[in-house]
């Protein structure tokens, strides 16, 4: 069996029950396995060592987006946001991580049939819920300025596989871009849209800083409408007094940006030092990026009272 490079927690949730992770199995004929017809979220829980407390960050927002993804895929979820929040808390209470953790809930088309349509008129189409959790530290290096490549792969468009929905099958697009970047010696990739505008990173949103302002691509540039992206925009305005522009970004604006960073639940805040080997600033985390990173990390661990409503403690 392939070596699992991550620490998967003891319990998972499948269908309507908690069970041991190794018992959470699905059939090889499952529609989602054959056609990628599933939607998912990645949720982080931060461990505060001093308080021996575990905090889920933006839990409700993730399940709200998950239900939007379900809607786009014409799915029929049988849990609402509150129920999924409760199940997540229960899962982590069972798994008791003593470090940062990551939760993966997913609704998937669980029927066993041939034919890719996301609805099937003459059978009992079923959607099912699954949720796993793992220990997870940094997904990308957050301490240096990473090196990224503009991918030759283009971002899937809203009229192909909508990136606004977090659809499992569309992560083939992500996988191709990320693999090319790694094989070429970069840490990650930035996609352009078919129209040539900047979209996002392989699995994270992007900000650049120009003339002291934050700039981020429009939601119509085939990005996932990131929860961290929204939060960072708010923090930049409210806490750092900066302007945030949401607009089309040209490729060459990346090369001359003062700073750039990726953001996402899994990735957190990742400073970018080089894009296509063009050095940004001194190639190290920029001043604004570092301020936002420190603030984000403190909020996530429950150290900033003002923002404690972003967190739900697992207890
Ligand atoms: N874009 C893509 C394609 C992603 O997979 C993610 C991770 N969910 C993000 C952006 C960042 O979104 P969020 O901040 O909501 O995690």
């Amino acid at each position: 069996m392939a070596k699992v490079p991550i620490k998967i927690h003891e319990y998972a949730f499948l269908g309507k029950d908690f069970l041991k992770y190794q018992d959470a199995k699905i059939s090889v004929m499952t529609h989602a396995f054959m056609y990628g017809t599933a939607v998912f979220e990645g949720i982080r829980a931060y461990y505060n060592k001093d308080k021996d407390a575990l905090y889920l960050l933006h839990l409700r927002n993730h399940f709200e987006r998950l239900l939007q993804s379900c809607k786009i895929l014409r799915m029929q979820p049988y849990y609402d946001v509150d129920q999924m929040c409760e199940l997540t808390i229960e899962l982590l209470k069972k798994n008791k991580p003593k470090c940062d953790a990551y939760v993966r809930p997913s609704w998937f088309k669980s029927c066993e049939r041939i034919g890719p349509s996301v609805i099937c008129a003459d059978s009992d189409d079923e959607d099912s819920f699954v949720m796993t959790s793992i220990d997870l530290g940094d997904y990308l290096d957050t301490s240096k300025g990473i090196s990224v490549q503009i991918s030759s792969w283009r971002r899937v468009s809203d009229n192909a596989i909508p990136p606004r929905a977090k659809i499992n099958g569309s992560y083939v697009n992500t996988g191709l871009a990320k693999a090319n970047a790694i094989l070429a010696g970069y840490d990650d990739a930035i996609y352009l849209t078919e129209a040539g505008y900047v979209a996002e990173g392989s699995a994270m949103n992007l900000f650049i800083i120009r003339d002291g302002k934050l700039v981020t691509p429009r939601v119509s540039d085939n990005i996932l409408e990131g929860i961290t992206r929204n939060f960072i925009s708010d923090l930049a305005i409210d806490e750092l007094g900066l302007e945030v522009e949401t607009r089309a970004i040209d490729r060459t604006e990346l090369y001359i940006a003062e700073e750039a960073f990726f953001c996402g639940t899994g990735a957190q805040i990742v400073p970018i030092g080089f894009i296509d080997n063009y050095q940004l600033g001194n190639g190290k985390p920029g001043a604004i990026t570092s301020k936002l990173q420190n603030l984000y990390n403190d909020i996530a661990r429950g150290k900033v009272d003002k923002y404690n409503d972003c967190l739900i403690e697992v207890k």
Side-chain angles (χ1 to χ4, degrees), residues 53-97:
L54 187 68
Y55 301 106
L56 282 152
L57 179 63
H58 293 137
L59 185 60
R60 290 191 68 80
N61 307 64
H62 282 284
F63 286 121
E64 280 160 9
R65 184 172 66 191
L66 188 60
L67 291 186
Q68 289 172 2
S69 298
C70 283
K71 183 169 186 188
I72 292 173
L73 239 61
R74 300 183 186 282
M75 290 179 139
Q76 312 270 346
Y78 46 80
Y79 292 130
D80 63 18
V81 170
D82 289 327
Q83 287 167 318
M84 288 187 281
C85 288
E86 280 309 312
L87 290 173
T88 310
I89 293 165
E90 222 174 310
L91 181 68
L92 290 180
K93 273 163 84 173
K94 282 178 174 296
N95 286 328
K96 304 182 186 71

Side-chain angles (χ1 to χ4, degrees), residues 40-42 62 65 102 155 163 166 171 174 191 200-205 223-229 263-266:
F40 73 105
E41 280 297 321
H62 282 284
R65 184 172 66 191
Y102 184 72
R155 186 71 177 125
K166 216 168 146 54
Y171 280 72
T174 310
Y191 292 105
E200 59 182 340
S202 66
M204 46 267 167
N205 292 117
I223 64 167
L224 181 75
E225 295 178 0
I227 293 164
T228 320
R229 170 180 175 275
C263 70
T265 304

Side-chain angles (χ1 to χ4, degrees), residues 156-228:
V156 280
S157 78
D158 193 48
N159 291 305
I161 307 178
R164 160 172 298 106
K166 216 168 146 54
I167 299 172
N168 291 45
S170 72
Y171 280 72
V172 171
N173 184 227
T174 310
L176 290 170
K178 175 94 185 187
N180 260 21
I182 301 294
L183 289 172
Y186 297 88
D187 298 306
D188 214 288
I190 292 175
Y191 292 105
L192 305 180
T193 63
E194 289 291 357
Y197 293 118
V198 175
E200 59 182 340
S202 66
M204 46 267 167
N205 292 117
L206 174 75
F207 282 90
I208 61 172
I209 290 146
R210 292 205 64 196
D211 300 325
K213 288 183 206 156
L214 266 72
V215 191
T216 194
R218 307 167 296 189
V219 292
S220 50
D221 282 326
N222 298 328
I223 64 167
L224 181 75
E225 295 178 0
I227 293 164
T228 320

